[in-house]
Structures are given as C-alpha cells and as structure tokens.
Amino acid sequence: MEVVRDSLISTFKSAILLQLQLSNIEGGGRLRLDDECPGPPLHEEQTLDQVGVVQGHCIILEPGPPPTPSQLVLRCRLSSGTKEWEVTVDEGATVAECCQLVVLSAGLQGNQWHLRRTNWCGEATEVLDDETSVLSKENLKSGDLLLIEEGKLPPKNFVRLAVSLFTPSYPTCTPAYLTDPDLTSGLLSWVMDSATVGVDINEQGFTHDGDFPRVDPNEVPLHLQSPAQFYPGLPGCLVGLDSIEIHRDSTIEELKALILTLPALGGAVIPTLDFLLRVREMVNGRLGKVFKNPQQTLRRNKMETGSHVCVTVLEQEETLPATAIVVHIQARTPGRRSYGPAAEVIYDCNRSTKPAELVKLVSRLVQIDVSHLRVAKHKLESFEWIVLQENYNKESRKKKKSKSTAANIKNSPICLRDGDTLGLKNLQYDPEDADDFSTESDDRGKEILTAVQEEKRRKRKLKSTDLLDERGGANQRPRRTEVGIKIFVPDYKRSS
C-alpha cells in the first residue's frame, strides 16, 4: 500500500480494512511492525512517521482491540519457561495490580508471585520490589519483557536470598603463600599426580552440571538446545538450605550471622564468623564472587531479591584481602581430553597482575618447572581456552593494525575472576605443545553456539528475501548509473 508518512495509524488501518474488505475482524483489529522481533501493537493516535515506519516496511494486521495512549502492552514469560504472552495494562496501575493481572492471564493460582525486569536480550535483571509504585514511574514501555517468578516479595528495602551449602571436594584452607610462598612448596603436587594416572572425566573434574541434563541431538535440533548442559560441573556438592530475608543495607558479617541461624546449620561448630565462614555469590548455578570485606553492605555488592549465595564452612582461618582471587586448577590428563580433580588456589593480585607471576606460583605448588608448564583459563560462555602469556596481539581500531600489549590477568582477554578454572598441562608429556586444552564437552558446546548463529543468519537471510519479494524483486526500478561530478576551482593566482 502507498500511504502518506504523516497519516494516523487509525486512518491507515481503515484503508487496509477497506482494501481487504474486512468488516467483522475481532476487536476492530490492530497493527504492529513486523521486525526481527515484532514490536507491540501500535497506538492509533500516532502517525506512521512517529512509530518509525519506513519504505518497504511490513505491517501486521491482527485481531484484538488496539491499545489506548494510556495503556502498556507488556510481554510476559515464566522464569522457568520459554512461552511468551502479552497483557494490556493501564500505565497508572501499580506493580501489584500488574502482577495480579499477569498471574491471572497465565492461569496461575495464589499470591506468592512477583515480577522481574529483563535486559535487551531477555536475561533476568532487577526485581520490581516496590509493589505500590505505578508502572509509569518504573520506566516500563510497551514491548518490555517481564518475568513472573514464584515467591512473595519481602518488605520494602529488604531482599530475599536463596542460601545453599557448598562442600568442596578438596580441603578448604587459606594457603600460607598469601604471606610466605616458600612455606607451601609442593602443597598441591597431588593434583598433577592424580591427573597422570588418568582420572576419568565423567568421575571427577570437567563434567556437565546436573541442573542441565544432556539432550539427544537426534531428538532436539542443535539450535534449540542449551549450551549450559556442557558447562563444567561444580568441584563439590551444593545443597540448598533455605531462603532468608535481610535488609539491603546489612553487612556481610550480619549476613553470615543470619545464615548461621538456619536450622540446617544448627549443628555446625563455627567459633568465629569472621574467619571460618566463606560466603560467595552463585551466578547461573556457578561459583562467583567471594565476599571478602565483612563490613561491605549487600547494596554495595548489588544483591537483589532472587540472588543466590552459597556458604562454605572452612577448616582454617581465612582473611582474604580485597585484591585476592579464588580460582580452581585442574591438571590435564596426558594423552586424553580430560582433567583430574580440582584444587583451590588463592592469588593476591596486589603482588602482581602479570600472568608470569601466577604461573610461577602454580609451578611452585605443583612442583613443575615453569618451562614445562602451560596454564590456560577456561572461557565458560564460549567453550574456549586462553593460554596465559605475557603479551597479546590486539587490533587497533584507527589504523587496523595489530600491536602487542602487555597482559594483565584482571583485564581482557584473560579477565580472571573468582570461580574461574585454570587448566594445567605438563609439556613433558606433550613436547610439541599440540594439545589445545579443550574437551569433548567444549566441542559439543561450540556446536550448539555455531548452530544458534547459523539459525539467526538463516532467518535474517530469509527475512531479507521475503522483503525483497514484497518490494517487487527483479521488477524494481533499476538503479541510476553512476556519473562523475565536475568541480570548478578558480585560478586565484591569475585573479590576483
């Protein structure tokens, strides 16, 4: 259809209904833009130019009443599901009223539910915890995606945290090398010994997490599978305890004291809170940031309702500086694409942020000469390994030339953080340095990521082809031939 850009949506819809000879469409019909992610229904008081309609755009006509200017059309989804639906709510409604409407539209029962925002790619972010606030003040817009989660919200300025007990499969202690590296030479030599004898990958070390069961690729296409099923398993046992409510401005020390009041920890003998109880954040089922400063608040650590923390009862006293990083190391089994059991290493970046210093520390612990040792960090999301070295080639944006920059274990491309895994390889068993640290799980994870990208490219190509056909395809007006331009430059010397 040809239409003037400043026409109202209502006028454009009437023209469509007239041309298609539709008079009994349910609710009067409404329009929306057909983008890669279809947008919300359009307000009829807007013009085509205001909603961003351009030449060749595809418009969807569907049953249903169009929203009014004071209404929001929000997308909703269960936090544990993938199916989405829409609800129309007045922007003057409160968060509690919106939550009740979403619960009713989903066919759920009870009042133990709350809403959570999402970011641009649909990942969960902060909770809408002020139930008395109106939607217009929460900066919600039509088309935003909200997650509906089970659990009643805590009082205002309080957060509800899920608490688990993590029991590692290795001894938990604070190594003395934080103060004197020479005291613990050979402390973790058993790591390399256990890997040398060939510990099976499915028994210890790198294995998939039980929360993500493997899926048969013959039953489900690769692009519909979750790569998380091939993430490495936790180096220990994680048991859910309970959930707690605590004020957002409480300190980590107060959080520890409250956790100790849980019935599941009633029998634990912990003489002091400051030293024998480690609390850390869980991110997507993985071990994350360790809370090192007991006087920092939960607000400072960005803890929100729905966050997950795990607690570990230590065997020795621990006072970690803010610059310390808690990582796990696993030794490569010679001749096999697998790893031995994990061990914990605490490295203080205040000593040095150079990769060589970290490699020297690991070398001293496992009693392998630095020249025979290779250390690589596992990049979880991409299923790749990056070898720790002193320099990395980076491409300059301006000149598009590669230049060598000094490496920092806290910065890109290493970005070492609490909970990361380091793989160790003894070059005496691999003189050619041909082993790339990868495992079969990494291969499977990469296949899924590649399939997802291929599916996105296929959809984009199909969409562009359909759009070309709708515009006329080969019958389009041919492009004008390129013609050179002439620029007149006066002769200033002659004129002077």
Side-chain angles (χ1 to χ4, degrees):
M1 295 189 63
E2 293 185 2
V3 64
V4 182
R5 293 183 62 181
D6 58 357
S7 298
L8 292 175
I9 299 295
S10 57
T11 305
F12 181 46
K13 187 186 75 171
S14 300
I16 295 176
L17 296 177
L18 181 62
Q19 180 167 326
L20 298 178
Q21 297 181 355
L22 296 174
S23 58
N24 57 349
I25 186 169
E26 180 184 348
R30 56 188 183 182
L31 304 178
R32 72 172 77 212
L33 299 182
D34 183 21
D35 293 325
E36 188 166 340
C37 295
L42 303 176
H43 299 307
E44 296 198 342
E45 288 73 10
Q46 295 175 304
T47 64
L48 293 172
D49 197 21
Q50 288 175 335
V51 298
V53 174
V54 297
Q55 179 74 17
H57 230 137
C58 181
I59 306 294
I60 297 176
L61 171 66
E62 63 182 17
T68 65
S70 62
Q71 288 181 327
L72 300 175
V73 180
L74 303 174
R75 297 153 52 212
C76 306
R77 188 184 75 206
L78 281 171
S79 59
S80 58
T82 58
K83 183 180 179 181
E84 293 185 9
W85 69 94
E86 290 182 339
V87 295
T88 302
V89 60
D90 193 272
E91 62 181 9
T94 63
V95 172
E97 293 170 343
C98 179
C99 181
Q100 185 178 6
L101 179 61
V102 173
V103 170
L104 291 176
S105 64
L108 303 174
Q109 297 180 352
N111 58 356
Q112 305 293 319
W113 302 92
H114 63 270
L115 298 175
R116 181 185 290 271
R117 298 177 189 267
T118 58
N119 57 16
W120 63 273
C121 58
E123 297 175 340
T125 56
E126 67 270 15
V127 173
L128 294 173
D129 52 1
D130 188 357
E131 294 185 315
T132 61
S133 176
V134 296
L135 299 182
S136 58
K137 292 184 178 180
E138 293 293 336
N139 199 25
L140 290 173
K141 303 180 294 296
S142 286
D144 287 352
L145 174 63
L146 296 179
L147 299 181
I148 179 72
E149 297 180 334
E150 190 170 7
K152 189 172 179 60
L153 287 175
K156 191 174 182 179
N157 291 327
F158 278 73
V159 293
R160 178 180 287 114
L161 307 177
V163 182
S164 297
L165 175 65
F166 176 66
T167 305
S169 57
Y170 47 81
T172 56
C173 61
T174 301
Y177 56 74
L178 282 175
T179 55
D180 189 353
D182 297 328
L183 294 179
T184 56
S185 178
L187 175 65
L188 302 180
S189 59
W190 62 275
V191 175
M192 304 302 293
D193 295 338
S194 59
T196 304
V197 300
V199 178
D200 188 71
I201 184 175
N202 292 322
E203 295 178 359
Q204 300 187 58
F206 264 55
T207 177
H208 67 281
D209 197 333
D211 294 338
F212 303 100
R214 296 183 185 272
V215 179
D216 188 356
N218 297 324
E219 297 179 359
V220 180
L222 279 177
H223 68 274
L224 296 179
Q225 296 186 31
S226 171
Q229 61 177 310
F230 295 105
Y231 284 171
L234 292 175
C237 179
L238 187 70
V239 179
L241 298 180
D242 204 346
S243 60
I244 59 175
E245 292 184 3
I246 186 171
H247 198 276
R248 199 185 300 270
D249 292 322
S250 299
T251 63
I252 299 300
E253 185 176 15
E254 293 170 339
L255 173 63
K256 291 180 180 181
L258 184 59
I259 290 176
L260 285 178
T261 63
L262 295 176
L265 292 178
V269 180
I270 304 176
T272 58
L273 292 177
D274 296 337
F275 302 128
L276 298 183
L277 200 65
R278 178 192 292 174
V279 179
R280 66 193 306 170
E281 185 180 11
M282 297 288 294
V283 182
N284 297 326
R286 316 303 307 166
L287 297 175
K289 176 183 177 181
V290 178
F291 300 133
K292 306 177 183 72
N293 186 349
Q295 301 306 318
Q296 272 191 349
T297 64
L298 301 182
R299 189 188 300 274
R300 177 70 181 271
N301 286 281
K302 300 180 181 180
M303 302 301 291
E304 303 287 344
T305 294
S307 297
H308 187 184
V309 298
C310 72
V311 57
T312 301
V313 181
L314 305 177
E315 297 177 356
Q316 297 182 15
E317 293 183 353
E318 175 179 87
T319 51
L320 295 179
T323 53
I325 299 179
V326 182
V327 297
H328 297 98
I329 63 172
Q330 290 183 278
R332 186 79 163 177
T333 304
R336 301 176 63 182
R337 302 184 67 193
S338 60
Y339 288 83
E344 185 179 272
V345 169
I346 303 176
Y347 179 73
D348 190 359
C349 294
N350 193 37
R351 295 172 52 189
S352 175
T353 57
K354 295 181 179 180
E357 291 299 321
L358 177 57
V359 174
K360 287 180 183 178
L361 171 65
V362 175
S363 170
R364 194 158 49 241
L365 293 174
V366 299
Q367 293 185 329
I368 295 180
D369 190 80
V370 174
S371 60
H372 296 151
L373 184 65
R374 284 287 184 276
V375 181
K377 177 204 167 181
H378 187 236
K379 301 177 72 174
L380 191 67
E381 292 77 10
S382 60
F383 297 95
E384 295 179 345
W385 294 81
I386 179 168
V387 179
L388 271 60
Q389 55 192 31
E390 285 308 296
N391 298 296
Y392 292 94
N393 291 328
K394 291 187 177 181
E395 186 176 295
S396 174
R397 293 184 178 180
K398 294 182 179 179
K399 299 182 179 180
K400 294 186 177 180
K401 292 183 179 180
S402 296
K403 62 178 181 178
S404 181
T405 58
N408 185 322
I409 61 175
K410 299 181 69 175
N411 299 337
S412 177
I414 302 176
C415 299
L416 195 64
R417 299 291 185 268
D418 290 335
D420 284 342
T421 298
L422 298 178
L424 315 181
K425 182 176 62 172
N426 191 341
L427 294 183
Q428 293 177 327
Y429 299 101
D430 184 20
E432 302 295 329
D433 197 11
D435 194 346
D436 61 354
F437 288 91
S438 65
T439 65
E440 294 181 2
S441 295
D442 292 328
D443 294 343
R444 296 295 295 153
K446 288 181 180 179
E447 289 179 9
I448 294 177
L449 295 179
T450 302
V452 170
Q453 293 301 321
E454 289 293 337
E455 180 66 14
K456 289 182 179 179
R457 280 192 288 267
R458 186 190 69 81
K459 287 183 177 180
R460 284 196 295 265
K461 184 177 180 180
L462 182 62
K463 186 178 182 64
S464 62
T465 303
D466 293 341
L467 186 59
L468 183 63
D469 293 340
E470 292 171 2
R471 293 178 178 178
N475 296 325
Q476 286 186 350
R477 188 187 340 179
R479 297 181 60 182
R480 297 179 181 178
T481 57
E482 295 185 1
V483 180
I485 61 174
K486 296 181 180 180
I487 302 176
F488 173 73
V489 180
D491 190 349
Y492 293 102
K493 291 184 180 180
R494 183 175 299 178
S495 61
S496 61

